[in-house]
Amino acid sequence: QVQLVESGGGLVQAGGSLRISCLASGSIASIDVMRWHRQTPGKQRELVAGISVTGNTYYANSVKGRFAISRDNAKNTVYLQMNSLKPEDTAVYYCHALKILTGDNAWGQGTQVTVSS
């Protein structure tokens, strides 16, 4: 099973930008969907963005137009570029990998993103 490690989180002022990364221990070329989720204390984990193996992307309404997900299969890495950050974007961001046919999936340990007002 692939292992996922997120990095790039940190503290940023509102209006700023941050790019977080998700490095997989193996090839992601055969992974159907790579996603970013986020979670704040006391709330359910929510889907932020996803990208298919063909490059199709989708976003939560709350981040549409501000965030961009991308994948580099050669580097086994998925990115989330976050622009125009808002305090409500503060959360732990988790990377998720899913193989649709088998249902195999994996989660990373998360990276904290804090947006100050």
Side-chain angles (χ1 to χ4, degrees):
Q1 188 175 6
V2 67
Q3 308 289 323
L4 304 173
V5 178
E6 300 95 335
S7 62
L11 174 64
V12 63
Q13 287 190 331
S17 297
L18 203 61
R19 188 179 79 160
I20 55 178
S21 303
C22 171
L23 175 64
S25 59
S27 173
I28 65 170
S30 62
I31 296 178
D32 300 298
V33 183
M34 298 294 299
R35 294 170 175 158
W36 286 99
H37 298 247
R38 67 186 181 188
Q39 189 171 24
T40 54
K43 291 189 177 181
Q44 284 192 335
R45 195 170 293 189
E46 65 170 346
L47 175 65
V48 176
I51 184 167
S52 73
V53 68
T54 58
N56 291 325
T57 59
Y58 49 92
Y59 300 92
N61 286 336
S62 58
V63 306
K64 205 172 290 184
R66 299 188 297 121
F67 290 12
I69 187 172
S70 60
R71 62 192 288 169
D72 186 336
N73 290 344
K75 295 183 178 180
N76 298 325
T77 302
V78 178
Y79 304 97
L80 186 67
Q81 177 67 44
M82 303 181 289
N83 300 322
S84 302
L85 282 161
K86 304 175 181 179
E88 51 262 44
D89 295 318
T90 295
V92 177
Y93 283 72
Y94 296 92
C95 183
H96 181 236
L98 173 65
K99 289 189 175 184
I100 294 174
L101 201 60
T102 62
D104 290 342
N105 71 102
W107 289 91
Q109 84 290 347
T111 185
Q112 176 72 46
V113 172
T114 303
V115 184
S116 64
S117 57

